[in-house]
Amino acid sequence: MDKIIVTGGVPLDGEVRISGAKNAVLPILCATLLADGPVEIGNVPHLHDVRTTARLLGGLGAGIGHDIAAGIVRVDPRTVDSHVAPYELVRTMRASVLVLGPLLAKHGAAEVSLPGGCAIGSRPVDLHIKALEALGAQIVVEHGFIKARAGRLRGGHVAFEMVSVGATENVLMAATLAEGTTTIDNAAREPEIVDLADCLVAMGARIEGAGTSRIVVHGVEALHGARHEVIADRIETGTFLVAGAITGGRVTATHARPDTLEAVLGKLRDAGADVSVDGDRITVDMRGRRPKAVDIVTEPHPGFPTDMQAQFMALNCIAEGAGAIDERIFENRFMHVNELMRLGADIQIDGHRATVAGVAQLSGAPVMATDLRASASLILAGLVAEGETVIDRIYHLDRGYEHIERKLSGLGARIRRVS
C-alpha cells in the first residue's frame, strides 16, 4: 500500500493549476445516462472515483471513452442494457447512488446497492428515496439494494427537511424527463449543483433556479447529446491556498473559480493572509508571517464548506492563538484529530466542537489517513512539522486529489510517494 512522506519546513512558492471538480464530475457522468446521444465531458480530473464511475456506467452497458491526458470522458448511453448498480462498485463510493434518478427516469427501473465510501457520517439515502417517490416512483429497500420502479415519472413538489447535495442532484436529474413541472424546495445551492444543471440544460433540459433554494424543472420528452466542461474544484483550490498560508509562503491557484470560494477566502484573510483575485487566478501571500487562529462553523453553501474543515484545523494547529471549529454537517468528521495530536497538536473535543490552540512547532510522526479531506490535513500539517511525517492509507487521497504530491512538489514541498 502506498504512503506519502513529507519533510516539513519549506515555505511554498509558485503557481498550481486547479483540476476539474470531483464533486461536480461524478453527478455529471451519471447524468449522461439520461441522453439519447453521446455526451462529452471536458476538464475531467484523473481520480479513482472518476474511474469507478466510468466502470459503473460501462457495467450498465454504456460506451465509455476516456482520454486521461486530455481530461475528456465520452459516454454513449444508447447501449445501456442494465439497470443494476452492483455492491462491488457502489460500496467504494457513495456517489454511485446518483445513477438511481437517471436510470429510473430513462429506463423506468433501477436497482442500486446501498452505498459505501468515506466513514465520516451516516449520510442516509432516505432523502433520495422520498424525493423520487414524490415523482411517482415505487421504491423498496431489500437485500441491501434500493429497488425502484416507475412508468414515466410525474412532476411533483419535493421539500427537503434538510439540505442534501446528493438528494438534490438525484431528483434534479430524474425530474428532467418527468411529465410536467417539478419544484424542489430547500434545494442544495452548491456550485456543483449549478454545474450539473448547466450540463443538463446543454442536453436540452429546462431548469430554473439552480444555485438557489428553489429549483423548478419543466420535464421534456428527451435529452440529447452535448459537450460540457466541468468547473474548477473549489476544495482542491482551498487546500493549496491553505498550504501556502500554513507554510508562510505565497501560492497562486490558476484556472480556479474565485466566486465559489468566498467563505474560504474570507477565513484566509482572517488568518492574516494577503488574498488577491485576478480573473481565474487566486493568490495567497503569507510570506514571513505566522497565521492567526480562526473560528470555523461548517454550513451548507454559501457557508463554510465541511470539506475544508480539516485543512483549516491543520492551519489552526500552528497558528497564533486558539480557534474553535464547529462541525455541523457530518457527525463523525473529527477522526483526523487524534492523528494531528500525534504530530503535537493541542486539540480539545467537546461534541461537535473542536478547540485548537496553536503550538509553535509540530513534530513529524507516522500517521494514518481516515478519509479524503483528513488525508489532505495530514499532508498540510506535515509541511510544517519538524522532520519527517509518514502518512499511511493514502488511497483516500486518490479519490479526490489529482497528483497532489506532484503539484505540491512543483511549489517546492519536499514530498514523495512510496510503495
Side-chain angles (χ1 to χ4, degrees):
M1 192 178 292
D2 286 3
K3 300 178 183 182
I4 279 183
I5 300 175
V6 186
T7 304
V10 179
L12 300 190
D13 185 78
E15 296 186 355
V16 58
R17 182 183 175 121
I18 299 305
S19 301
K22 171 186 103 81
N23 289 337
V25 71
L26 302 183
I28 285 169
L29 287 171
C30 294
T32 63
L33 293 169
L34 293 160
D36 283 344
V39 180
E40 182 175 285
I41 310 299
N43 199 30
V44 176
H46 182 43
L47 302 173
H48 186 269
D49 278 9
V50 169
R51 297 195 298 274
T52 300
T53 305
R55 284 172 56 208
L56 176 58
L57 298 179
L60 296 171
I64 303 291
H66 193 174
D67 185 338
I68 293 172
I72 293 172
V73 175
R74 299 176 183 88
V75 183
D76 188 345
R78 293 173 295 185
T79 51
V80 168
D81 56 4
S82 170
H83 58 262
V84 179
Y87 176 69
E88 301 79 67
L89 290 176
V90 178
R91 70 181 176 85
T92 64
M93 188 182 67
R94 290 175 184 268
S96 304
V97 76
L98 295 177
V99 299
L100 184 64
L103 285 174
L104 189 60
K106 179 70 174 171
H107 300 281
E111 292 188 20
V112 180
S113 173
L114 289 168
C118 282
I120 59 172
S122 58
R123 296 200 274 194
V125 296
D126 58 334
L127 295 173
H128 300 246
I129 292 171
K130 288 177 184 175
L132 293 170
E133 286 176 337
L135 303 189
Q138 294 88 46
I139 303 178
V140 296
V141 178
E142 60 183 15
H143 307 303
F145 273 83
I146 306 163
K147 298 183 178 182
R149 296 284 184 277
R152 185 179 181 188
L153 294 173
R154 304 183 307 273
H157 180 233
V158 175
F160 287 115
E161 60 200 59
M162 59 180 283
V163 176
S164 167
V165 173
T168 299
E169 290 167 341
N170 235 335
V171 73
L172 171 62
M173 290 186 281
T176 59
L177 293 181
E179 184 177 359
T181 297
T182 298
T183 302
I184 308 169
D185 278 323
N186 201 25
R189 300 162 60 187
E190 271 68 8
E192 295 80 15
I193 300 278
V194 179
D195 202 35
L196 172 61
D198 288 346
C199 179
L200 291 167
V201 168
M203 292 160 59
R206 296 175 58 208
I207 300 169
E208 302 158 8
T212 74
S213 58
R214 169 171 278 196
I215 301 176
V216 178
V217 186
H218 306 286
V220 297
E221 291 294 326
L223 297 179
H224 50 71
R227 191 184 192 286
H228 179 77
E229 198 88 358
V230 175
I231 60 168
D233 195 314
R234 61 194 171 105
I235 306 303
E236 185 196 30
T237 307
T239 301
F240 282 110
L241 295 179
V242 171
I246 197 173
T247 60
R250 185 178 190 275
V251 168
T252 298
T254 71
H255 301 81
R257 276 284 298 269
D259 59 312
T260 67
L261 277 160
E262 290 177 4
V264 169
L265 298 183
K267 288 299 176 184
L268 283 165
R269 290 187 177 102
D270 291 347
D274 293 328
V275 179
S276 58
V277 174
D278 180 14
D280 68 356
R281 297 165 61 86
I282 309 171
T283 300
V284 162
D285 190 341
M286 189 74 92
R287 278 187 173 157
R289 298 191 302 279
R290 182 181 177 188
K292 300 171 192 163
V294 292
D295 294 332
I296 300 288
V297 178
T298 65
E299 295 174 314
H301 193 79
F304 188 90
T306 180
D307 279 356
M308 283 301 302
Q309 176 258 105
Q311 297 90 315
F312 270 83
M313 184 179 287
L315 181 78
N316 276 354
C317 286
I318 54 89
E320 205 174 289
I325 297 178
D326 286 295
E327 175 55 65
R328 298 187 179 177
I329 305 296
F330 292 126
E331 72 275 11
N332 199 22
R333 205 162 201 178
F334 283 152
M335 291 191 295
H336 46 282
V337 167
N338 286 338
E339 302 304 304
L340 288 170
M341 289 171 68
R342 286 177 54 76
L343 301 176
D346 181 354
I347 307 172
Q348 304 292 325
I349 298 288
D350 182 11
H352 296 298
R353 167 171 286 201
T355 303
V356 187
V359 298
Q361 181 71 64
L362 296 176
S363 176
V367 291
M368 189 173 292
T370 52
D371 64 67
L372 171 54
R373 306 308 172 185
S375 307
S377 76
L378 296 175
I379 287 179
L380 293 175
L383 290 172
V384 291
E386 183 183 18
E388 215 170 63
T389 300
V390 181
I391 303 156
D392 207 346
R393 291 179 64 183
I394 60 156
Y395 55 83
H396 295 290
L397 264 179
D398 299 327
R399 293 185 48 234
Y401 289 96
E402 184 176 43
H403 308 309
I404 188 169
E405 71 277 11
R406 198 180 303 172
K407 289 185 175 184
L408 285 169
S409 292
L411 297 171
R414 290 179 291 185
I415 180 172
R416 67 188 192 277
R417 180 184 292 243
V418 296
S419 296

